[in-house]
Amino acid sequence: MSKSKQELLGYQSHLIQDNLTYFKPTRTSTTVTFAEEIRSSLQEPKKSISPKFFYDENGSKLFDEICTLPEYYPYNSETEILQSIEKKLLPYLSNEFHLVELGSGSSVKTRLLIDVLFKSQKHLQYFPIDISEILDQSAKSLCMDYENLKVTGVVDTYEKGLDFIEHYDDKPNLITFLGSSFGNLDHNEGMKFLQRINTLMKSDDLFLIGLDLKKDHEVLHNAYNDSQKTTAKFNLNVLKRINEELGADFNLENFEHHAVYDEQKGRIEMYLRSLSEQSITIPKSDLSITLSKDELIHTENSHKFSISQIESYLKESNFEKLEMWFDSRKYFALVLGKKI
């Protein structure tokens, strides 16, 4: 890709080491800032904080801890599938694929896919797309461990990052969206997201998405209310982040983690519950709020899907389902598709 083409698309390259480069937008960002978004969402009648703000450095570490908990099945279930599908995935791959990952993801899962791709090709280019500007240590570790791997990170939204990669060269991409992040979106948001991904894909691209399945309520409850209270720390950490970055005065001891399953909506809903009537100021958001006792701040939805719902999503967003794989307990699904 020529330098002029990079600049035309509004990106500047940053060489970290020989086989690790990041592209960042040079254009002026039009995205709403952290301070502005917190101001908007916390002055609504039903207060909320977007789950995308969970993942500062400490939040990311806490989420890694959550993935090791015995109650938190999604990580182990998806990893089990990835470890078992090599022979089933290889027939869809040629010696030309790039690996594209939406979100930096777990290096364990990424490595499993890299290992599969290296069975069909000698060289591989890996594109992690993430809005975060933190250059993950795992990318450097991957470069050290795989001699013929080149990592090209794109620091941007998923959609803009995919648009950049589609213009990068003519090689097909295996685009992956692992974990259960898709479940954070409501139906309309999810449909728009899938349709946008589909539009940005080349005809020979493949899309691999992880989806959490509907299951026993107790299993769901325990996954989000673990005995070590790590999920509670993760949820509360977003208030700590607002304190540190926006100068707020949230007292974390005045809040508790609250996660419930809404069967009708088919989703876990996660909140922070105010334990008393209290007032909070957030100077950098130019905001003061009052919370009543037991008032909830919504932080995340995590939708669970039936197989028929998954097939409906795919059909409506113009994807052909090639494969649907499950873990041994049928807790989780990995779906491989291509655009129709």
Side-chain angles (χ1 to χ4, degrees):
M1 186 176 182
S2 66
K3 185 178 179 183
S4 59
K5 195 170 181 182
Q6 294 164 9
E7 290 176 346
L8 187 66
L9 289 169
Y11 288 87
Q12 184 176 0
S13 65
H14 300 263
L15 182 67
I16 309 303
Q17 56 193 52
D18 286 347
N19 55 351
L20 175 56
T21 305
Y22 275 80
F23 285 93
K24 296 182 184 179
T26 53
R27 60 188 177 277
T28 304
S29 175
T30 57
T31 54
V32 179
T33 66
F34 181 31
E36 289 168 336
E37 192 157 334
I38 290 299
R39 174 180 168 78
S40 175
S41 66
L42 284 183
Q43 61 182 356
E44 292 290 327
K46 291 186 177 179
K47 297 175 176 61
S48 65
I49 299 170
S50 170
K52 67 186 177 186
F53 297 127
F54 280 141
Y55 299 97
D56 63 352
E57 187 175 356
N58 191 48
S60 296
K61 286 178 182 175
L62 285 167
F63 185 71
D64 285 344
E65 288 180 33
I66 288 171
C67 289
T68 68
L69 296 170
E71 299 100 328
Y72 191 74
Y73 62 84
Y75 178 83
N76 287 335
S77 297
E78 188 175 43
T79 302
E80 179 193 324
I81 301 169
L82 286 167
Q83 288 170 332
S84 69
I85 63 170
E86 179 183 302
K87 291 180 181 177
K88 298 166 187 171
L89 183 57
L90 274 172
Y92 294 99
L93 303 172
S94 68
N95 61 354
E96 293 292 321
F97 271 82
H98 296 320
L99 176 61
V100 179
E101 187 168 21
L102 305 181
S104 56
S106 157
S107 59
V108 173
K109 294 177 189 176
T110 305
R111 285 168 188 267
L112 290 169
L113 285 169
I114 289 172
D115 289 341
V116 172
L117 284 156
F118 270 130
K119 291 278 170 47
S120 64
Q121 57 196 78
K122 290 183 179 179
H123 298 270
L124 176 64
Q125 192 149 2
Y126 166 53
F127 293 89
I129 303 174
D130 205 303
I131 197 66
S132 170
E133 295 202 25
I134 298 170
L135 303 185
D136 196 348
Q137 185 62 39
S138 66
K140 293 182 180 178
S141 298
L142 288 172
C143 290
M144 286 175 59
D145 294 343
Y146 293 93
E147 184 180 354
N148 293 329
L149 179 71
K150 183 178 180 184
V151 178
T152 305
V154 184
V155 181
D156 210 339
T157 63
Y158 295 156
E159 293 88 348
K160 289 176 182 174
L162 275 176
D163 190 41
F164 169 83
I165 291 164
E166 291 306 314
H167 288 91
Y168 193 85
D169 60 26
D170 295 328
K171 291 183 178 180
N173 302 303
L174 172 60
I175 300 165
T176 65
F177 192 36
L178 302 178
S180 52
S181 298
F182 182 76
N184 296 153
L185 307 173
D186 66 27
H187 183 272
N188 290 338
E189 290 171 333
M191 192 57 63
K192 286 179 183 176
F193 177 80
L194 289 177
Q195 288 169 344
R196 182 67 177 141
I197 299 297
N198 186 283
T199 301
L200 290 167
M201 287 171 64
K202 294 194 281 278
S203 60
D204 49 359
D205 283 354
L206 297 172
F207 183 47
L208 184 68
I209 184 170
L211 297 163
D212 198 1
L213 300 175
K214 291 184 175 178
K215 59 185 66 64
D216 182 79
H217 293 185
E218 187 176 355
V219 174
L220 288 169
H221 177 82
N222 292 341
Y224 294 85
N225 295 277
D226 62 277
S227 57
Q228 296 181 44
K229 301 190 183 303
T230 308
T231 309
K233 291 176 191 172
F234 174 71
N235 199 9
L236 286 159
N237 182 70
V238 75
L239 299 182
K240 184 170 177 280
R241 180 181 181 185
I242 296 171
N243 284 349
E244 291 172 352
E245 297 184 27
L246 304 181
D249 57 358
F250 283 102
N251 182 346
L252 273 59
E253 292 183 2
N254 289 342
F255 293 87
E256 70 176 6
H257 167 70
H258 179 64
V260 293
Y261 182 64
D262 186 319
E263 184 171 10
Q264 187 177 356
K265 294 179 179 176
R267 69 190 189 193
I268 286 282
E269 297 178 353
M270 209 154 80
Y271 300 90
L272 291 163
R273 188 206 300 273
S274 173
L275 296 176
S276 62
E277 186 173 326
Q278 53 184 312
S279 297
I280 294 102
T281 58
I282 310 173
K284 291 185 180 177
S285 294
D286 191 24
L287 179 66
S288 295
I289 60 171
T290 301
L291 293 165
S292 57
K293 186 177 185 299
D294 294 326
E295 186 171 351
L296 301 173
I297 300 174
H298 179 254
T299 54
E300 185 179 59
N301 291 326
S302 185
H303 288 83
K304 313 305 171 187
F305 302 95
S306 66
I307 292 169
S308 62
Q309 282 177 316
I310 293 171
E311 290 176 338
S312 175
Y313 264 103
L314 293 170
K315 186 177 180 180
E316 287 183 52
S317 54
N318 299 315
F319 278 99
E320 177 188 346
K321 183 190 75 175
L322 300 173
E323 299 278 358
M324 191 182 296
W325 296 297
F326 307 96
D327 64 294
S328 55
R329 296 181 293 185
K330 279 210 167 181
Y331 279 3
F332 205 89
L334 267 186
V335 183
L336 182 69
K338 67 175 184 178
K339 69 188 295 177
I340 296 173

